[in-house]
Amino acid sequence: MLITDDFLPVPVPESLSATYLVPAAGLPAVSARSAVRGLAGRLAEPVHGLARQMLDSPLMSVDVRPIGEFPELPPDLLTAFGASEPQLDRLAAASHLVVVQAEYRPGWPPAHEWAARAVAAAVAEAVDGDVVDVFGLQFLDPRAALRSLPDVQGRVRLVDWVLVPYSSGADGLWFTTKGLRRFGLLELQAQGVPDHLTRAWGAVMTGAARRLLRDWTDGLAGDEVPAFVQLPVLATVTGHDIAVAYGNPEQHGATPPVLLRLELDPATDPEADSFLSLRPPTGHPGPAGRYFAAACATLFSGIQPDVRYARPGDAMSRAIATARASLGDIRARFRAGALPPETQLVVKYGLPGDDGPEYIWAGVTSWDAPERVVGASASDANTDPTVRIGSPVVIEAADIIDWALLNPTGVIEGGWTQAILDAGTPPTP
């Protein structure tokens, strides 16, 4: 095994397994084989054929067990990962579980996951029930489970397979992935992430997972399963990685890539998981959180800081008027929690300077009073040395000239002044 400073050897498990459950009130009246046959024409190949082949092989088992024979699923964790009350009620009322298990070697395609999920979803759809993904401790609607499988071009959305939960720590947020072990790869983690980057950094983690998973499966492409795969110590993450992971490959901009250093953090407890930690490149000054904030600013650079303009009556002035006229509405949506999922509200405001105002963006963290916004700066200011990426800022609403909603692929709403700067023409209000 070749070990260099540029690559990190990551151990490969000998085999991988997947387990899915279908809670049922009574014995199911349909067999797994007939349920899977019913997906003909609805499920793309090769997954449909793969599911049928694995059903007829020792690599997959489908058992119906009384629910008392299976370890209890923790309702609190299921709720934390999105379970609804009706789903939990159906689980509590179930007398039996259809248990679908599959095993396969590490590599691509992950036949154990694709086939087991397809079979479980087919059975759940036939009995009008739910799918429980045991690895992710998630309830899946059968139709959503089927949509998560590869399309006719073999594409999947990584966000349907990998979650990015986070929790608070002494130095900021602790992010982890939950799902890479499906493919044999260690989960990722990042610590010390600034609190205002919950959505943005979750997207960066997902993009990093996509990039590393591609390197991982490339290393497993041979006939023999290796003992280790060499992953690059410096992982490159781009806006394209994020867009593809979210299933929107056409919605990525030409953003510069960012570098993240990969370190192996082995578990000291035999029962705990080891992680691959994402850190700033060696030699980066300052705390990790500042580098993470700069990485987010780079990857979501559909908004640009440090813009100066004046010329009343031109298109830019009309764009500002459009943005300001809708501040009340976007505040109401923000406070009501009515913004689209996976979005971040940012505002552009002016800082006084010798040569006129300097306009920068900030992520909104709270907006209790109509006249005042509390946020975190999205960039370093030239005119005020106290305004740095990630630093808290209090913004007077009178100073706001624009707002935008960002998702992992860029600006999805607002950003009127930025559209003019990018395209030279005003957007349609």
Side-chain angles (χ1 to χ4, degrees):
M1 177 180 62
L2 177 64
I3 301 177
T4 72
D5 291 338
D6 297 327
F7 292 91
L8 181 69
V10 179
V12 180
E14 292 183 2
S15 65
L16 301 172
S17 62
T19 302
Y20 289 85
L21 308 177
V22 179
L27 291 172
V30 63
S31 71
R33 284 177 176 79
S34 62
V36 170
R37 282 196 299 269
L39 296 179
R42 296 176 52 205
L43 191 61
E45 295 297 348
V47 180
H48 188 230
L50 181 67
R52 288 186 288 110
Q53 291 170 19
M54 291 193 74
L55 265 173
D56 293 328
S57 80
L59 296 174
M60 178 179 285
S61 65
V62 180
D63 301 313
V64 180
R65 304 182 196 172
I67 196 167
E69 294 183 6
F70 202 86
E72 182 182 4
L73 296 170
D76 53 343
L77 289 179
L78 289 168
T79 301
F81 286 108
S84 66
E85 286 296 331
Q87 288 170 332
L88 293 173
D89 290 342
R90 288 193 290 271
L91 176 62
S95 62
H96 291 77
L97 291 174
V98 180
V99 184
V100 182
Q101 296 180 299
E103 186 172 338
Y104 202 64
R105 57 161 278 177
W108 199 264
H112 59 298
E113 283 287 352
W114 289 358
R117 185 173 286 198
V119 171
V123 172
E125 192 173 61
V127 301
D128 195 24
D130 305 300
V131 177
V132 180
D133 172 13
V134 173
F135 179 92
L137 281 178
Q138 270 193 302
F139 274 93
L140 301 174
D141 174 83
R143 290 170 293 279
L146 293 172
R147 285 196 301 270
S148 72
L149 295 165
D151 62 14
V152 293
Q153 296 177 297
R155 299 174 302 186
V156 295
R157 298 189 334 150
L158 192 60
V159 291
D160 292 329
W161 298 88
V162 176
L163 305 174
V164 186
Y166 62 89
S167 58
S168 297
D171 299 322
L173 299 177
W174 175 36
F175 279 78
T176 61
T177 58
K178 185 174 178 61
L180 288 178
R181 283 195 295 114
R182 299 180 191 272
F183 312 104
L185 182 58
L186 297 178
E187 303 291 357
L188 303 180
Q189 70 172 357
Q191 301 184 62
V193 179
D195 291 353
H196 71 284
L197 294 178
T198 52
R199 291 188 179 96
W201 188 253
V204 174
M205 289 278 287
T206 306
R210 184 258 174 185
R211 172 58 63 100
L212 290 171
L213 184 58
R214 190 180 67 176
D215 293 337
W216 175 253
T217 53
D218 285 348
L220 297 171
D223 293 334
E224 299 294 328
V225 177
F228 294 86
V229 166
Q230 301 274 10
L231 294 180
V233 169
L234 282 180
T236 303
V237 183
T238 67
H240 177 70
D241 291 316
I242 296 171
V244 171
Y246 279 81
N248 300 306
E250 70 285 352
Q251 295 184 16
H252 69 91
T255 59
V258 299
L259 294 176
L260 294 168
R261 179 166 52 92
L262 205 62
E263 287 187 1
L264 177 61
D265 280 337
T268 55
D269 182 347
E271 300 298 320
D273 293 328
S274 298
F275 284 97
L276 293 172
S277 292
L278 298 177
R279 308 188 193 279
T282 302
H284 170 72
R290 181 163 185 181
Y291 184 84
F292 296 154
C296 291
T298 297
L299 290 169
F300 304 114
S301 59
I303 57 172
Q304 299 294 335
D306 302 337
V307 178
R308 294 178 171 81
Y309 42 73
R311 300 197 311 272
D314 63 8
M316 186 63 77
S317 295
R318 293 194 296 273
I320 294 172
T322 300
R324 288 188 56 78
S326 55
L327 280 178
D329 176 68
I330 193 61
R331 173 180 177 265
R333 291 165 58 194
F334 173 81
R335 287 178 52 78
L339 300 182
E342 303 297 333
T343 58
Q344 170 72 47
L345 174 62
V346 295
V347 294
K348 182 188 279 187
Y349 68 105
L351 287 173
D354 294 338
D355 299 323
E358 177 184 8
Y359 294 99
I360 63 174
W361 292 90
V364 177
T365 55
S366 64
W367 198 344
D368 296 336
E371 67 276 6
R372 191 169 295 107
V373 176
V374 178
S377 181
S379 64
D380 292 345
N382 292 328
T383 55
D384 188 340
T386 67
V387 178
R388 291 292 177 263
I389 291 176
S391 64
V393 290
V394 178
I395 304 160
E396 298 297 325
D399 296 330
I400 296 174
I401 64 161
D402 202 357
W403 61 265
L405 286 182
L406 304 180
N407 75 359
T409 61
V411 177
I412 62 168
E413 187 178 345
W416 291 273
T417 62
Q418 194 63 44
I420 292 175
L421 295 168
D422 291 342
T425 56
T428 301

